[in-house]
Amino acid sequence: MRNKKALIRKLKQEMANAETYDEWQNAALSLDHLEGNDEWKRIDKSSLYDYTLISRRLEQLRLCHRTNDMAQLTRALREGLHHDLGNMGNHKLYEKSHIGTKKLIEDYVSQVCYSLDFLCDNDIDALPLDKKLGFFEDTSLSFGRPSLLLSGGATLGLFHLGVVKALWEHNLLPQVIAGSSVGSIIAGIIGTRTDDELSELLDRDDHDLQAWKYLGLKGLLLGRGIYDAKNLEQCIRKNVGDYTFQEAYEHSGRSINISVSPAASKNQKTRLLCGYTSPYVTIWSASLASCSIPGIFPPATLIQKNANNALSPYLPLHRWVDGSVKSDLPIERLTHLYDVNYHVVSQTNPHIVPFIPEGGHPPDPSWSNLPWRMIKSELEYHGKGVFDFLRKKAPTELLRQTAGHAYTVMAQRYYGDVTIAPSYKLSDYMMITKNPTQEMLRQFMIDGQRATWPQISMIKAHSQISQTLEQCIKRTKRRLKLKIFS
């Protein structure tokens, strides 16, 4: 018994210190075997999900392949694919073991993806190319898709790069990526690169991200902020280029979304800039605005490309500031724009991370936590009421703006369906406005990967089918194009 406890501690330490996913996975699998979780994975039955429904769906798909009934397979996929079927994405199903979940769920997801790829890559008499494309597009629309949201957090937000790398290596990086403040810089870096360029980028840890240049109180008194916005602009443009939102999508196939807030106007609201809402705005100017924290960096003007490809101000009478103040995670807007129904959040805001529940999910209601939930709800309700009143009725503009920021901070949702966050130490807070060294960047990236690896199984259960549908659409479009021009 003593040896078993020592081995468990050793394996947990190996997981905590793993430098690669393979190292982490080997330790996690050994730990699951040692703790008896392997048997739990093999048993289909559980009250946490509808195992009977999923088992029947799985057998139906397998039967279609055995009998080579492609018409029935197409029908079974079209009417049977639903996001979170039978509650198989229930986070409790991924907390029992250190890696993986019920084998039935993993088998079902794998079979669906195999069936979709089979239909995509083989000639089916009952499904010519044009109908095949329609089938994949309709199924994708009804199934939904995931998104990745990258929060603010200044230099601490470089943790996002590790999260992106872990998702990328497992083919789980969503096509829809949103960012605010530093998250907008990372979203811009990722969203302006093709797959090959992104692979090369994520294999490096020598990125030039020297965004901070101190101006001091003189800069603040002159209305420029205590840090140099020109230096920040040069850093962003060096890493993102001069792409507009539309050009970035055409180049990479990824949809970038950046939150910005109006600096002062009462008649402008927080905006989500993207290829749909502002196709000709440059990503670097949107990111610069989203990083413009009042007092730290001055408000920024958005820059667009005109019909002649020349740069010019967009809404020249308005200036914009940090999007994370009012819309750190634009979950509702993404849902409407992109049919997103699953949100992966990388949360690094230093004032939020300490309050994120372990595992990133709020605790289930119970009698034991009822008093705390009641107190919390009362504080939130009355706090929002006070700040809502002050932001509308306070006698001075400064107090109204301050109350407005406080209200939006309290009213926001800072977590997603999966929330990936670092574990901050006091020393981490000292790095918020530091230019990262190569060693700091390397540490941020491995921290982001280690925090993401335990979530891979749950993200895969939710996202792999939609990712496969998107790839099938791309491949089918290419085949149709070749057919037309052949």
Side-chain angles (χ1 to χ4, degrees), residues 319-334:
R319 293 194 298 169
W320 305 85
V321 296
D322 183 7
S324 67
V325 173
K326 294 187 177 180
S327 184
D328 190 47
L329 305 176
I331 287 175
E332 186 174 343
R333 190 76 173 120
L334 292 178

Side-chain angles (χ1 to χ4, degrees), residues 97-142:
S97 57
H98 298 281
I99 184 171
T101 184
K102 294 290 189 181
K103 187 173 183 299
L104 174 63
I105 294 174
E106 295 175 344
D107 287 347
Y108 171 75
V109 172
S110 295
Q111 182 64 51
V112 168
C113 293
Y114 169 76
S115 297
L116 290 170
D117 283 332
F118 186 89
L119 288 180
C120 178
D121 298 331
N122 290 276
D123 293 327
I124 309 296
D125 291 338
L127 202 63
L129 277 180
D130 55 340
K131 288 187 177 180
K132 187 179 291 190
L133 179 60
F135 163 77
F136 287 130
E137 288 178 334
D138 290 345
T139 307
S140 179
L141 181 64
S142 67

Side-chain angles (χ1 to χ4, degrees), residues 40-41 43 45-46 49 93 101-106:
W40 177 84
K41 295 178 189 178
I43 298 172
K45 188 174 181 179
S46 171
Y49 74 122
L93 286 164
T101 184
K102 294 290 189 181
K103 187 173 183 299
L104 174 63
I105 294 174
E106 295 175 344

Side-chain angles (χ1 to χ4, degrees), residues 43-62 80 85-88 93 102 104-105 108:
I43 298 172
D44 296 344
K45 188 174 181 179
S46 171
S47 62
L48 297 175
Y49 74 122
D50 191 341
Y51 59 91
T52 303
L53 172 63
I54 295 173
S55 180
R56 287 175 177 172
R57 293 286 190 189
L58 175 59
E59 181 52 35
Q60 182 184 26
L61 296 177
R62 287 173 171 171
L85 179 71
N87 202 28
M88 68 180 191
L93 286 164
K102 294 290 189 181
L104 174 63
I105 294 174
Y108 171 75

